[in-house]
Amino acid sequence: SLANLQRELNNEAGEQRALRAAEEAFSRRIRDKPHDRQARILLAGAQYRLGKHKASEQTLLTGLKLHNDDDMRRASSDFYLVQLRSMKSSRADRIPEKLDLLEKAIALDLKNPEVYSEIISFYEQARGSDYAKDIVKQLEAMIVDGQSPALAHFALSSIYLIEQDAAKAKLHLEQS
């Protein structure tokens, strides 16, 4: 996109102009065709890059009300993962906020492999806390419920490797 080209050229003003133009164009497109999910996803991306995170989230949530399908669920899940990744702080007081974002991403798209990567990262950061134990319980419940069991087994395998429990790690890796 033009915004990406401007960013590569280190032209922040040009990037912002391109993003504002994209936001306006996709907003018009959605006004004309409210069920255009691709325009809605692209609008949310432009809004996010403009720093309009609440507007981006609302655009996606409205899209979910119109189209509760795989594309909208993945885009919405990815939105929460991007927010989670943007929280560079590893302070313990941010862990509940990170867990909230992670749980939103999980609830929206259990088949999103990026969710499981973030679960493992979250576990490493929260290791030893009740939050880490809760994540393990969620993964176990996902397996019991048959919700994306291969990915959940793989995440548990990684977690048990972190904990140096080779037997449990092997068991879950074989199930993934």
Side-chain angles (χ1 to χ4, degrees):
S1 75
L2 183 57
N4 289 340
L5 176 62
Q6 295 293 345
R7 183 179 47 201
E8 287 178 23
L9 295 172
N10 291 320
N11 183 350
E12 187 175 329
E15 178 185 6
Q16 292 298 305
R17 277 192 306 275
L19 287 170
R20 285 191 300 274
E23 179 186 31
E24 186 177 314
F26 291 128
S27 292
R28 272 195 315 272
R29 197 159 140 192
I30 289 171
R31 276 193 299 275
D32 295 340
K33 296 179 181 177
H35 293 279
D36 186 339
R37 73 175 56 80
Q38 190 61 35
R40 188 169 296 282
I41 291 168
L42 292 169
L43 171 60
Q47 289 169 324
Y48 192 87
R49 288 181 58 191
L50 284 166
K52 299 177 179 181
H53 300 165
K54 287 291 182 193
S56 178
E57 180 179 29
Q58 190 55 51
T59 296
L60 291 168
L61 292 176
T62 300
L64 279 170
K65 289 177 186 172
L66 296 171
H67 304 283
N68 193 358
D69 61 15
D70 289 345
D71 290 340
M72 287 305 303
R73 295 182 74 73
R74 175 64 52 93
S76 300
S77 177
D78 286 344
F79 168 82
Y80 292 114
L81 293 177
V82 167
Q83 281 196 310
L84 176 64
R85 290 177 185 135
S86 73
M87 295 176 66
K88 295 186 186 343
S89 172
S90 61
R91 297 185 344 237
D93 64 338
R94 300 297 302 268
I95 289 176
E97 189 178 352
K98 288 181 176 186
L99 180 61
D100 180 57
L101 292 169
L102 186 55
E103 287 177 337
K104 287 177 181 179
I106 292 168
L108 285 162
D109 190 357
L110 290 170
K111 295 177 184 170
N112 186 345
E114 294 299 315
V115 164
Y116 296 90
S117 174
E118 292 303 321
I119 286 173
I120 295 163
S121 295
F122 176 84
Y123 181 86
E124 285 180 298
Q125 185 178 5
R127 192 173 174 195
S129 73
D130 288 341
Y131 298 110
K133 293 174 190 168
D134 288 345
I135 265 306
V136 170
K137 287 178 188 173
Q138 281 185 15
L139 288 168
E140 290 169 345
M142 290 163 69
I143 291 168
V144 169
D145 293 342
Q147 300 172 335
S148 204
L151 290 169
H153 274 296
F154 183 77
L156 278 172
S157 174
S158 297
I159 286 170
Y160 287 124
L161 279 175
I162 291 166
E163 293 301 328
Q164 299 180 353
D165 187 335
K168 284 185 180 178
K170 182 181 177 196
L171 171 78
H172 285 285
L173 187 58
E174 288 171 348
Q175 297 295 317
S176 65

